[in-house]
Amino acid sequence: VFASFNFKSILKLYSFKNVRTPMVLLLTIVMMVTAVGVHFLANFINEALFNDNSSITWIYEQTQWPVLLSILFIGVYPAIFEEIAFRGFLFNNLLLFSKPRSVIFTSGFLFAFIHFSIIGLLWLLPLGLFFGYLRFRYRNLWYSSICHFVYNTTIVILSFSGV
């Protein structure tokens, strides 16, 4: 729905013109390291405060293809649709009325808030700000989408590994 409102302007953000392989590799490593840190931090907080160590993949664990479905619904779809919504549609429209710094903060805050986790704000807000910065700095959605995918998929893999 979001993409249909501004199809042409969002489609431009998926141009490969400014995408560089070394940057993709660097961001992949950064997101994997970040995801490992957040995974252990979230587990520590959940265990300390709630005596709970449940996984984000629990809903898929009883299916025939738990890892595949988890990667699809936690890794792939959010990386596409949340980036189109927050760093595509919302970002583009906010830039019409505000300065880039405010747009990065607003889209990052809304991204974090929409996940409905007070504790998650500790890592979701910085992630949202980082994704917004990437969107503004490189004028595309590839870097933020790749980061989002790598981060979420790393969390999924860690959840299934039992670490």
Side-chain angles (χ1 to χ4, degrees):
V1 173
F2 293 112
S4 66
F5 288 124
N6 291 24
F7 184 74
K8 288 183 182 179
S9 63
I10 291 174
L11 190 60
K12 288 179 193 175
L13 295 171
Y14 277 109
S15 167
F16 285 106
K17 189 169 136 182
N18 297 327
V19 178
R20 304 289 179 252
T21 304
M23 184 65 162
V24 170
L25 294 174
L26 174 64
L27 290 171
T28 297
I29 292 167
V30 167
M31 285 296 101
M32 291 173 80
V33 169
T34 302
V36 169
V38 168
H39 173 76
F40 287 109
L41 176 64
N43 284 348
F44 173 77
I45 292 171
N46 283 325
E47 189 69 38
L49 294 180
F50 308 112
N51 200 24
D52 177 34
N53 60 358
S54 61
S55 165
I56 62 166
T57 59
W58 68 270
I59 196 166
Y60 306 106
E61 289 173 5
Q62 302 305 313
T63 66
Q64 189 172 1
W65 304 291
V67 176
L68 178 65
L69 291 174
S70 293
I71 290 173
L72 184 64
F73 290 111
I74 297 171
V76 176
Y77 288 165
I80 295 168
F81 297 112
E82 288 180 5
E83 292 309 311
I84 288 173
F86 290 99
R87 263 64 69 181
F89 176 78
L90 180 65
F91 204 97
N92 285 349
N93 285 291
L94 288 175
L95 275 177
L96 299 173
F97 304 101
S98 190
K99 295 181 181 189
R101 182 176 278 168
S102 298
V103 173
I104 291 169
F105 182 78
T106 303
S107 65
F109 178 78
L110 290 174
F111 169 78
F113 183 75
I114 201 73
H115 286 83
F116 302 110
S117 172
I118 298 298
I119 294 170
L121 288 174
L122 291 172
W123 50 87
L124 291 168
L125 182 57
L127 282 173
L129 295 173
F130 182 62
F131 296 163
Y133 168 77
L134 291 173
R135 154 57 177 95
F136 178 72
R137 170 73 171 83
Y138 296 101
R139 309 261 188 256
N140 71 54
L141 289 177
W142 282 113
Y143 291 139
S144 61
S145 295
I146 290 167
C147 285
H148 201 149
F149 168 76
V150 169
Y151 174 84
N152 285 5
T153 301
T154 302
I155 297 287
V156 166
I157 291 167
L158 289 169
S159 294
F160 277 104
S161 71
V163 178

